[in-house]
Amino acid sequence: MKIHPIGTGPASPSRRAALGALLAGVATAGAWSSASAATALQAAGASAVRPTGFTKPELKILTVAADTIIPVTDTPGAVAAGVPHFIDALAKHWMNGDELAQFRAGLADLDKRAQQRYRHGFAACTSAQATAILQDLRAASPYEGRTFELAARIEDPKAPFYLRLRDFVVYGYFTSEIGSTKELRYVAVPGRFDGDVDVKTWPYQNVI
Amino acid sequence: MNQMTEFDAIVIGSGITGGWAAKELTEKGLKVLILERGKPLEHQKGYVHEFTPPWQAPQQGLPDRALDAREYEIQSKIERGAFSWANRQYWINDRQNPYEQVKPFRWHRTDVLGGRSLTWGRQSYRWGPDDFLQNKRDGHGNDWPIRYADLEPWYTHVEKFIGVSGAPEGLENFPDGHYLPPFEMTALEKHLKRTVEAKWQNRRVTIGRVANLTEALDGRGRCQRRAICNRGCSFGAYFSSLSSTLPAAQKTGLLTIRTDSVVEAIDVDPQTKKATGVRVIDAKSGERLRFGAKVIFLNASTYGTLQILLQSKSALHPNGIGNHSDVLGRYLVDHAGVGAFAEIPGFDDRNYSGRRPTGILVPRFRNIGGQDADADFTRGYGYQGGAMRDDWTNTAAQTDGFGADMKHQIARPGKWIAFLGAFCEQLPQKDNRVTLNENKRGGFGLPQLSFDVAYGENERRMKLDAAKQAEQMLVAAGAKHVVTIPVRAIPGVSIHEMGGARMGHDPAESVLNAHNQVHGVPNLFVTDGAAMASSGTVNPSLTYMALTARAADYAVAQLKAGAL
């Protein structure tokens, strides 16, 4: 997978840190997604191959959106965790035609909203600008469905673009190595189960 | 057709009961052949995704929708996440193995050595004395030809070998067994137990009795609290054929395992009326083979077993073996269900660490020792459930925000949720049945098995009551708003398949006798779920194992006495 440098523009310190982490983390993040996607495709008879994922400008919009949805805090954010590449791999190998069309239109809409409001593309937005646009979009994206598993909502054809984008980023982050180990505490072999402990001694989830 | 080497016994199937039959028969000195229709699978080495972390899973664990829809249309719908990218390879290919659904029915099955012993929920309960008496008392179904006392020593025998963790409760109709130390309850489960037991004297909340080793046992490692059992466990810490019974059988030097061996039929000699051997289609080459033996144990899983019996037609058995009275394939039962859950406040300062491979259980309390005055249904149900905190996928799916605060909210332990899911006993009904559809061909050109099964009025009423009682218990524990959800709404979904070749005293109304012998074919034993004459309210696998060990003991004694 080819990695595209992020466009220039106003960027907060944390944004810059995220972009640096993106470039540093690219090798590993990209490696698994293309390898596992290739395996999945082989098994599936490669009938759904779309050789191209997002365009370079689309990937830039997606990267800024991902960085806004799961930003760098005391732990790395979605960009360092390789989430844009995760979603790009889904676009290539996982989304169906309707989902991909909706997602592309949604990215274009983000860009249009940024142009109207700030006279530059979404990829050039500051954190505050991107947040404002996504909050507007969130308010304008009603969803009646109710699920208790994120993967189920991701597959709901009635989910609006905003929710799909947000859910892909959240899912990609919390299943990434960074999200699983820095934000959550993935423990491969716990060895013991303590059923009733003070949350102060163990303030984490017990993720599989 | 090739006639292969003779064996003392052939065991058809290598799952929970097939493994037990092989272990018991070889340990008693018989030369045994296991025929398994599925692919080979090696303990440890075969569990290819056991240690795969989420970030290395295909699509980081999102389901492969295209592949699942095309090849695993039925299997991919299994409840409770028992089908996933990590174990898809154990389940059967639905496209290649279609079956007919006269009414909607989920047939969940594996296609690999070890069968569903790899993927089972491991809940291991003894049936109570009443469970073997109910058919006789209320007239639904036929009288069981055995009682709890007949199985009691065999439950012990099985529990000591497989290793079951649990807590004794001293209840007459929920008998205690031999247990390794129990898993601990969470703070909210302890609270639920206290409040429910204080309010209702006849209700009990106990930790799930589960075939996971809380202590090492006979060379198998202790449970590592990963709760990814259905991928396969290299520690051998839960009971499966691959970790337990098959190695024990292999140790005798008397076991031969043949995988990719689809059994087409069992041959019966028209003169002696005994089963003489098994006809097999090699799944890879298509070659047809025959294997002979003195004793045959049929352990192909309930519906697989019924299909083989129905396919075994001859002049002596024109409608299939054991079907002289048109009982074969009938009286299928499993567990219908309904679930209720609720957020319960007040425990935000408590958490748990590690991952527990079991939940909690509320044994049946309805219509025990007589009909409850306020019950408009017969028999009863138990609940299984748990009380845990929402994890990130739950929290994320119930919110739509973003940013730093959302990130940390999703990552923190979420709301405490208590869940109770009922297992409602299904009454045996003659019309709930499988047949063969000779006009529709399934895997290997064999006729498709056709399911015509539905829940009835009693199950409907029982579910309403189970939902109501669950709500009352959750409210007693502090719930403000209880949500009732359908679970196990489609027959088959519980994967507690039972009946179709039920045991009984009378050949006119049953297929098997009190020793699991097919009436009239004394050297053919059926000891999987097909043998069950009713469904009880707890998970049935432990009972299948006890029936198998008991029948194997009897078969060997009969064989040695020259009676088979």
Side-chain angles (χ1 to χ4, degrees):
Chain A
M1 181 186 299
K2 253 191 166 169
I3 301 310
H4 307 290
I6 304 303
T8 51
S12 65
S14 72
R15 169 70 48 79
R16 275 194 292 276
L19 301 185
L22 164 67
L23 296 172
V26 149
T28 48
W32 78 257
S33 42
S34 36
S36 58
T39 312
L41 276 175
Q42 223 166 16
S47 56
V49 177
R50 280 189 294 266
T52 53
F54 295 123
T55 64
K56 199 168 160 179
E58 283 172 334
L59 204 55
K60 287 181 187 171
I61 296 168
L62 180 57
T63 301
V64 172
D67 188 38
T68 309
I69 292 166
I70 301 281
V72 178
T73 54
D74 54 332
T75 61
V79 176
V83 169
H85 304 289
F86 166 70
I87 300 174
D88 191 41
L90 295 182
K92 285 178 183 155
H93 307 301
W94 193 83
M95 292 185 202
N96 65 36
D98 290 347
E99 290 166 345
L100 185 59
Q102 182 207 35
F103 207 88
R104 284 220 145 102
L107 293 175
D109 178 56
L110 284 179
D111 216 33
K112 199 173 114 198
R113 284 167 184 261
Q115 288 289 357
Q116 282 168 355
R117 197 155 162 177
Y118 304 116
R119 303 282 165 218
H120 58 67
F122 189 83
C125 282
T126 64
S127 270
Q129 290 171 341
T131 298
I133 289 170
L134 284 170
Q135 287 294 12
D136 281 358
L137 187 60
R138 178 189 176 198
S141 303
Y143 175 69
E144 300 301 317
R146 187 173 185 201
T147 59
F148 299 95
E149 290 286 336
L150 195 59
R153 193 163 76 179
I154 279 174
E155 291 188 44
D156 184 352
K158 293 194 200 77
F161 165 74
Y162 164 75
L163 209 52
R164 205 172 279 276
L165 168 70
R166 182 267 194 188
D167 287 350
F168 275 137
V169 171
V170 168
Y171 185 92
Y173 178 73
F174 284 99
T175 53
S176 71
E177 183 166 12
I178 281 176
S180 296
T181 59
K182 306 277 193 245
E183 189 65 25
L184 304 170
R185 289 294 179 280
Y186 173 80
V187 182
V189 184
R192 53 185 293 140
F193 176 77
D194 295 306
D196 187 8
V197 302
D198 191 319
V199 73
K200 288 192 212 75
T201 64
W202 180 255
Y204 307 111
Q205 295 178 20
N206 304 276
V207 293
I208 293 178
Chain B
M1 190 176 289
N2 290 325
Q3 169 72 50
M4 308 297 283
T5 326
E6 291 283 330
F7 292 87
D8 294 324
I10 290 173
V11 175
I12 302 171
S14 64
I16 285 178
T17 59
W20 262 99
K23 167 181 138 49
E24 297 295 297
L25 295 171
T26 53
E27 287 182 345
K28 290 172 193 295
L30 268 54
K31 190 178 167 196
V32 171
L33 169 67
I34 284 185
L35 295 170
E36 164 55 53
R37 64 158 286 154
K39 304 171 284 287
L41 186 73
E42 200 178 322
H43 181 50
Q44 300 174 330
K45 208 171 135 189
Y47 310 146
V48 291
H49 286 308
E50 183 184 359
F51 291 98
T52 306
W55 57 91
Q56 285 174 359
Q59 298 94 231
Q60 293 182 194
L62 283 179
D64 189 333
R65 297 177 298 178
L67 176 65
D68 290 348
R70 197 177 59 244
E71 309 290 336
Y72 299 95
E73 190 193 344
I74 304 289
Q75 308 311 316
S76 60
K77 296 191 175 92
I78 294 173
E79 286 188 345
R80 295 165 286 123
F83 174 98
S84 75
W85 57 270
N87 73 1
R88 182 191 285 111
Q89 67 277 14
Y90 303 157
W91 297 97
I92 204 165
N93 180 301
D94 290 311
R95 184 177 54 78
Q96 293 166 0
N97 297 280
Y99 62 93
E100 186 174 57
Q101 301 178 58
V102 177
K103 301 188 185 90
F105 191 93
R106 298 262 184 83
W107 187 6
H108 292 310
R109 47 192 167 143
T110 49
D111 199 18
V112 75
L113 186 69
R116 285 178 304 193
S117 77
L118 284 161
T119 60
W120 70 310
R122 308 168 311 288
Q123 296 292 307
S124 300
Y125 303 97
R126 295 182 175 208
W127 276 29
D130 274 4
D131 291 316
F132 295 95
L133 287 165
Q134 285 190 133
N135 285 10
K136 186 177 184 181
R137 280 182 186 158
D138 64 25
H140 296 284
N142 64 322
D143 185 20
W144 276 88
I146 56 170
R147 298 289 180 249
Y148 177 70
D150 296 305
L151 267 194
E152 200 284 332
W154 298 103
Y155 277 130
T156 298
H157 178 69
V158 167
E159 285 162 348
K160 285 184 169 171
F161 180 77
I162 71 173
V164 180
S165 84
E169 294 290 343
L171 298 174
E172 192 188 344
N173 275 304
F174 182 68
D176 297 331
H178 295 263
Y179 298 129
L180 302 171
F183 287 97
E184 190 182 6
M185 288 188 183
T186 65
L188 180 53
E189 287 165 350
K190 291 175 183 174
H191 170 73
L192 184 70
K193 178 178 173 66
R194 277 192 304 271
T195 51
V196 166
E197 293 179 359
K199 190 172 165 99
W200 292 278
Q201 285 194 340
N202 66 339
R203 300 190 192 182
R204 199 69 63 91
V205 179
T206 190
I207 191 72
R209 296 171 175 177
V210 67
N212 285 64
L213 303 181
T214 46
E215 289 170 356
L217 180 71
D218 294 340
R220 292 165 50 208
R222 64 187 281 282
C223 174
Q224 299 299 312
R225 280 69 168 176
R226 298 180 298 164
I228 49 171
C229 311
N230 59 37
R231 298 181 187 188
C233 179
S234 287
F235 299 92
Y238 75 90
F239 170 80
S240 73
S241 301
L242 295 191
S243 70
S244 309
T245 44
L246 295 183
Q250 271 162 335
K251 211 157 74 179
T252 64
L254 294 170
L255 179 68
T256 304
I257 296 174
R258 193 179 198 284
T259 52
D260 296 294
S261 300
V262 180
V263 171
E264 185 172 10
I266 294 163
D267 288 331
V268 175
D269 186 299
Q271 265 75 52
T272 65
K273 300 186 177 168
K274 289 181 190 169
T276 56
V278 177
R279 277 180 277 145
V280 166
I281 303 169
D282 185 293
K284 288 188 293 191
S285 67
E287 189 185 1
R288 281 182 144 78
L289 305 155
R290 189 180 183 283
F291 299 90
K294 297 173 195 143
V295 178
I296 294 169
F297 268 67
L298 185 46
N299 300 93
S301 84
T302 298
Y303 310 126
T305 283
L306 297 176
Q307 178 158 14
I308 290 167
L309 289 171
L310 287 164
Q311 281 167 186
S312 300
K313 292 176 182 169
S314 62
L316 192 61
H317 298 279
N319 301 311
I321 293 179
N323 203 15
H324 289 295
S325 310
D326 190 29
V327 174
L328 183 64
R330 294 185 178 275
Y331 302 101
L332 295 177
V333 285
D334 70 358
H335 291 135
V338 66
F341 68 90
E343 179 185 354
I344 295 183
F347 297 88
D348 285 349
D349 59 337
R350 307 307 297 171
N351 198 13
Y352 43 89
S353 72
R355 301 189 295 271
R356 190 185 62 189
T358 189
I360 57 171
L361 179 131
V362 180
R364 175 178 164 185
F365 52 83
R366 280 302 230 168
N367 297 334
I368 289 193
Q371 184 78 12
D372 292 347
D374 64 338
D376 64 350
F377 55 91
T378 183
R379 304 202 187 178
Y381 51 83
Y383 297 97
Q384 290 172 38
M388 316 285 281
R389 304 191 72 154
D390 270 349
D391 66 13
W392 68 269
T393 169
N394 308 132
T395 304
Q398 295 169 66
T399 53
D400 70 349
F402 64 91
D405 290 348
M406 188 84 245
K407 176 184 176 186
H408 290 303
Q409 186 191 334
I410 292 171
R412 277 198 305 271
K415 295 177 299 196
W416 278 99
I417 304 288
F419 172 79
L420 292 172
F423 282 86
C424 300
E425 174 158 9
Q426 183 183 10
L427 292 179
Q429 305 279 2
K430 190 175 186 186
D431 290 340
N432 282 333
R433 68 185 303 204
V434 289
T435 52
L436 291 182
N437 188 338
E438 301 280 356
N439 299 316
K440 282 189 177 175
R441 294 283 149 171
F444 306 97
L446 298 170
Q448 284 189 24
L449 198 59
S450 177
F451 289 79
D452 188 353
V453 180
Y455 293 130
E457 178 63 15
N458 197 61
E459 288 86 62
R460 192 188 66 79
R461 291 181 187 187
M462 203 187 296
K463 280 162 66 168
L464 286 175
D465 187 69
K468 193 173 86 183
Q469 302 297 334
E471 180 170 358
Q472 288 175 6
M473 288 190 276
L474 294 172
V475 167
K480 300 278 182 290
H481 176 61
V482 177
V483 180
T484 302
I485 52 167
V487 293
R488 298 182 281 278
I490 302 172
V493 168
S494 71
I495 328 186
H496 289 176
E497 50 199 50
M498 292 175 255
R502 65 186 187 180
M503 297 168 72
H505 301 284
D506 183 355
E509 60 168 30
S510 60
V511 175
L512 308 172
N513 69 12
H515 296 283
N516 296 78
Q517 291 168 291
V518 175
H519 292 301
V521 190
N523 65 338
L524 176 57
F525 292 78
V526 177
T527 67
D528 60 16
M532 304 294 275
S534 62
S535 77
T537 61
V538 293
N539 312 57
S541 294
L542 190 77
T543 299
Y544 304 169
M545 294 189 232
L547 284 172
T548 302
R550 178 175 174 270
D553 183 66
Y554 179 81
V556 173
Q558 292 289 298
L559 193 62
K560 285 181 178 162
L564 296 185

